[in-house]
Amino acid sequence: MSYPVFTPVRRLAQIAIAASMIGAASLAQAANPSMLESFKFETPTFIHQQPFAQYKMVIQVSQDDPYVWNLALNNAQNVLNDLGQEKVQIVIVTYGPGLRMLLKDSPVADRIASQDAEGIEFDACHNTMMGMAKKLGHLPELVPQAVIVPAGVVRIMQLEHAGFAYIKP
């Protein structure tokens, strides 16, 4: 079995690429609200505080399928309409292939902006973003409403632990 040889020049190039990705991560994270530094499992925080919410729901989006994205958005809107904006806290968490829902050029970007204005939070998995950055050479650009969380699955676990109903369309 042979191992790759890392010459000093090649190693410096790898370090430069990694540094530029970290720099890009900082720039992308500055453009979106982020929970990377403040995430504490036992005390969930939200961009849209709903202090009087009697009902709480987290929706998982992990598929690269606009049909599923629209279904998730429809589910969220229906719950909001039925229970009332001030009575429900809704968080849509995207990770894996589902993160594409929150990309800047997403076909549902306008709906995301509209629902964000109604108090629905849209969380983007940082782990998935870093995986995409390795393939793209830069972090993906998200809709401005996306909130960066350290890990989508952990965010879902956190919210379920805090009493959120779990929905996966």
Side-chain angles (χ1 to χ4, degrees), residues 7-81:
T7 63
V9 171
R10 184 172 178 182
R11 185 66 184 140
L12 286 173
Q14 288 177 326
I15 292 169
I17 290 168
S20 70
M21 285 180 66
I22 291 169
S26 298
L27 290 175
Q29 292 162 8
N32 289 88
S34 173
M35 293 184 190
L36 293 179
E37 299 297 322
S38 62
F39 188 87
K40 292 180 179 61
F41 187 86
E42 295 298 326
T43 54
T45 58
F46 306 95
I47 294 302
H48 302 296
Q49 296 298 328
Q50 303 286 13
F52 303 109
Q54 299 167 324
Y55 311 102
K56 302 171 185 177
M57 178 174 72
V58 58
I59 300 175
Q60 171 184 322
V61 176
S62 55
Q63 292 175 271
D64 182 7
D65 182 349
Y67 176 81
V68 173
W69 304 345
N70 278 297
L71 184 58
L73 294 170
N74 291 344
N75 290 163
Q77 191 65 54
N78 290 340
V79 169
L80 199 66
N81 293 345

Side-chain angles (χ1 to χ4, degrees), residues 102-128:
L102 298 183
L103 294 183
K104 181 180 152 187
D105 60 352
S106 168
V108 295
D110 290 341
R111 289 192 71 192
I112 290 168
S114 175
Q115 288 188 334
D116 174 76
E118 292 186 74
I120 296 173
E121 180 173 311
F122 294 88
D123 291 353
C125 175
H126 186 254
N127 287 341
T128 300

Side-chain angles (χ1 to χ4, degrees), residues 50 53 55 78-89:
Q50 303 286 13
Y55 311 102
N78 290 340
V79 169
L80 199 66
N81 293 345
D82 289 347
L83 299 178
Q85 185 175 349
E86 61 285 337
K87 291 184 181 178
V88 66
Q89 176 95 46

